């Protein structure tokens, strides 16, 4: 009888002069193996694994978004405390955060 180590969906945030942060979501389905299983069993295992992976990606993405939003707020408070104002470019980026911006050419 073999034991398998649970698979993790993992993302790591790191930035200069800041502590890194790891985000993890477990994937309950075992990682499909190509050794010793029939083709239909292998396809079923892959489908199950990919379905579980697809389910966990948005959860991980949400955790990362919450964390990054908190970091942006911290950075903004630190900048305000130092008396630094947002540049025009930063203000425009913040105003359009989360929106797709299409730049138009003046040609």
């Amino acid at each position: 009888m073999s034991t398998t180590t649970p698979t993790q969906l993992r993302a790591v945030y790191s930035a200069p002069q800041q502590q890194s942060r790891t985000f993890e979501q477990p994937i309950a389905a075992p990682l499909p193996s190509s050794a010793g299983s029939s083709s239909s069993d292998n396809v079923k295992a892959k489908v199950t694994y990919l379905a579980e992976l697809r389910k966990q990606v948005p959860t991980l993405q949400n955790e990362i978004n919450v964390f990054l939003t908190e970091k942006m707020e911290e950075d903004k408070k630190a900048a305000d405390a130092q008396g630094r104002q947002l540049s025009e470019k930063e203000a425009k980026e913040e105003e359009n955060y989360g929106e797709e911006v299409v730049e138009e050419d003046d040609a």
Side-chain angles (χ1 to χ4, degrees):
M1 180 172 171
S2 68
T3 59
T4 58
T5 305
T7 305
Q8 297 281 328
L9 176 60
R10 179 178 297 137
V12 178
Y13 168 86
S14 62
Q17 304 167 351
Q18 295 182 9
Q19 187 175 12
S20 66
R21 167 94 187 262
T22 301
F23 302 89
E24 295 181 330
Q25 283 296 316
I27 300 176
L31 188 61
S33 170
S34 59
S37 60
S38 73
S39 178
S40 71
D41 286 346
N42 196 26
V43 169
K44 288 178 187 176
K46 285 180 182 179
V47 168
T48 302
Y49 180 79
L50 291 174
E52 179 72 19
L53 183 61
R54 181 173 287 176
K55 181 178 135 189
Q56 295 300 350
V57 166
T59 304
L60 185 71
Q61 190 172 20
N62 186 51
E63 287 181 27
I64 293 168
N65 286 343
V66 167
F67 172 76
L68 291 176
T69 300
E70 290 171 358
K71 294 298 285 175
M72 288 172 53
E73 288 299 319
E74 289 173 12
D75 290 348
K76 186 176 177 184
K77 286 179 184 175
D80 288 347
Q82 294 174 358
R84 185 176 73 85
Q85 297 296 316
L86 293 177
S87 70
E88 185 177 326
K89 180 182 176 188
E90 289 173 320
K92 187 173 182 179
E93 286 175 354
E94 189 168 313
E95 179 181 325
N96 294 319
Y97 180 75
E99 302 293 326
E100 183 176 341
V101 177
V102 178
E103 305 240 352
E104 296 180 18
D105 291 331
D106 293 333

